[in-house]
Structure formats: structure tokens, C-alpha cells
Amino acid sequence: MLPLIVGNWKMNTDLCQGDALVLKLRELLKGADSAEVVIAPPFTSIHHLYHLLADSPIKLAGQNIHWEKNGAYTGEISGEMLASVGCKYVIIGHSERRQYFGETDETVNKKVFATLRHSLKPIVCVGESLQEREGRKTLKKIKTQVTQALAGLGSAVKDLTIAYEPVWAIGTGKTASPQQAEEVHNSIRELLFELFDAESAKEVRIIYGGSVKADNIDELMAEPNIDGALVGGASLKAEDFARIVKFQPR
Ligand code: PGA
């Protein structure tokens, strides 16, 4: 499967800054075909960037979605809206959304279904806290999050990506070692084979996130079950993100 590299811009960049970043990226990524590249800008930039990216393979993602089609949900965004401005992917259940905006495994599950209903592809984030890692509860936590997020999916799971993002590694400069990440990715892969038919389970991409940088991507991508990366801070610098996209496993 083609690796997936996703840039999560979070709440950064106004319209002009977003334009500048994308124009540079387009230039730097010309001819780079070893990964599928997705960026998740703020909602205010998506439509505009869609036009700037018209002749580029770089795809767009929403950073969130509401499970209802439309209605009185002030401040929320629907799958129909995201699809109408050219999104192909949606990030769901990021730890910042779980921590600051009360997302639960149950709402993540509803959002997964809403995403698929609009022919968008979900990128579901899971990850343990430092306390859970130190208490040796990592694999149990991940199993619960994945099982609940994907409940009731069936073969539609093949369009899904799981992003393993240890909470203690996000924005902290502390990356999980390739071995730590691989252990969790491997356990997610085994769980997918338990929960779904083999044909669908093997299609699911499992990507790593948490302080991914130009200088650690190569060793992460050398692991057999790491199928890509979800990049926060480093996706805001075109040169760094381009280098991540052009990883060379070693
Ligand atoms: P980071 O963020 O790369 O800045 O650690 C990753 C993420 O939150 O997706």
C-alpha cells in the first residue's frame, strides 16, 4: 500500500499564510510519488486551497466533522460541507479534541460513520497518556479505543486509517522510539484481523504521529507496520514537511 503522510496544521495559518505554505509545498513536492500526501488546514482555508491545488496530487482533510447532516449545531461542520469544498479525508478523535472538547470513543464512532456516509476517508487517532504508558496499560487502552471507534463497521473499515499518537509525544519533542511505535502498530494490525475480514483488515493504514520530524521519519518508516505519519508542528514548515514526504527508510 502507498504510505500516507498527513500534515495537521491545527489552529494555525490565516488565509495568506496558508497560501504561501501550499505554494511552497507544491513546488517542493513536484514529482514526489512515494507517498499519498494530505494536508488538514483550518476550515477557513480549505476551499481556497482546493483551487490552488487543482493540478496537484496533494489532497485535503478536515480536522473535525459533526455526525449530523445539518441543523442547529452552532460551531460545527458537516460531512456534506467538507465534501463540497474538496476534502477527501477527515481527522477524527485527535487527542486535543478528546482532551479539550470532550470527544469520547462513542462520538468518534458516530463521526466515523458520518465520514464514510459522505464518501470521505476517516483518519482515527488513538493513543495512551504518559501515565497509562508508565502503568503498562498502553496496549489495553489502544485496544479499547480502536474497538469502540470501529464498532459496527464491517468491510467499510478498508477505507480507514488509524493514527497511533501517544499523547505524551504530541508537540513535546519526545517521539516514541521506532520499536515502541512498531509494538503498538503491530498490536493494532492483529486486532484488525480479529475484528474484520482479512481482505479488509489488511487494507487499513496505520500511521504514526507525535513529534515526527525530518530527522526521525526515516527510522520510523523502516518499521514494517508503520504505513505513514501524521505530522503536526513540522507540517507548518514546507521544507521540513517535504523532507518527511520524501522519507528514505533506514
Ligand atoms: P506534533 O503533532 O507533530 O506537533 O507532535 C502531531 C499531531 O498532533 O497530530
Side-chain angles (χ1 to χ4, degrees):
M1 70 182 74
L2 194 60
L4 176 68
I5 307 287
V6 185
N8 176 12
W9 292 8
K10 308 193 181 184
M11 198 173 73
N12 295 294
T13 69
D14 63 16
L15 203 59
C16 294
Q17 292 163 333
D19 275 15
L21 184 50
V22 153
L23 288 175
K24 256 198 207 164
L25 259 186
R26 264 181 45 154
E27 215 34 52
L28 291 167
L29 290 180
K30 248 184 209 155
D33 57 3
S34 52
E36 186 176 351
V37 182
V38 176
I39 53 170
F43 296 132
T44 44
S45 283
I46 294 178
H47 184 50
H48 190 63
L49 293 181
Y50 177 68
H51 290 293
L52 273 191
L53 291 170
D55 54 352
S56 154
I58 302 173
K59 299 185 182 115
L60 289 158
Q63 296 179 18
N64 190 20
I65 182 173
H66 192 273
W67 55 86
E68 292 293 342
K69 202 165 166 259
N70 54 21
Y73 301 100
T74 302
E76 292 294 321
I77 190 130
S78 73
E80 197 170 282
M81 294 167 187
L82 291 172
S84 76
V85 289
C87 279
K88 296 282 181 251
Y89 284 84
V90 184
I91 298 174
I92 301 173
H94 190 281
S95 67
E96 286 149 16
R97 298 225 41 98
R98 294 177 190 257
Q99 187 181 346
Y100 305 128
F101 304 101
E103 280 199 18
T104 62
D105 291 331
E106 196 190 349
T107 58
V108 168
N109 182 253
K110 288 188 190 180
K111 290 178 180 205
V112 167
F113 276 92
T115 301
L116 292 167
R117 261 200 308 278
H118 292 94
S119 305
L120 298 164
K121 295 183 177 183
I123 301 169
V124 176
C125 304
V126 297
E128 82 286 5
S129 65
L130 185 57
Q131 212 183 9
E132 286 159 340
R133 175 154 287 269
E134 287 174 349
R136 298 179 183 281
K137 298 201 176 88
T138 299
L139 297 183
K140 188 164 172 262
K141 173 68 180 273
I142 302 298
K143 184 173 183 178
T144 306
Q145 286 185 324
V146 172
T147 307
Q148 295 188 2
L150 278 46
L153 260 193
S155 64
V157 76
K158 65 180 187 323
D159 288 324
L160 192 125
T161 296
I162 294 177
Y164 167 54
E165 297 207 302
V167 178
W168 49 271
I170 295 176
T172 58
K174 285 188 208 153
T175 329
S177 69
Q179 296 70 31
Q180 282 174 323
E182 172 63 19
E183 184 196 17
V184 177
H185 283 227
N186 186 46
S187 77
I188 295 173
R189 181 69 66 200
E190 283 175 2
L191 178 60
L192 291 170
F193 276 97
E194 263 173 51
L195 296 174
F196 301 97
D197 66 276
E199 275 306 295
S200 312
K202 72 174 195 310
E203 296 291 318
V204 178
R205 284 189 285 204
I206 308 172
I207 65 177
Y208 170 80
S211 297
V212 172
K213 303 266 180 309
D215 62 10
N216 59 25
I217 186 70
D218 294 346
E219 51 179 17
L220 286 163
M221 290 304 293
E223 296 296 334
N225 285 295
I226 299 185
D227 306 320
L230 178 52
V231 187
S235 72
L236 296 169
K237 294 184 203 115
E239 287 79 9
D240 289 4
F241 189 62
R243 172 62 183 82
I244 290 170
V245 169
K246 296 178 190 169
F247 65 87
Q248 291 149 14
R250 67 168 148 78

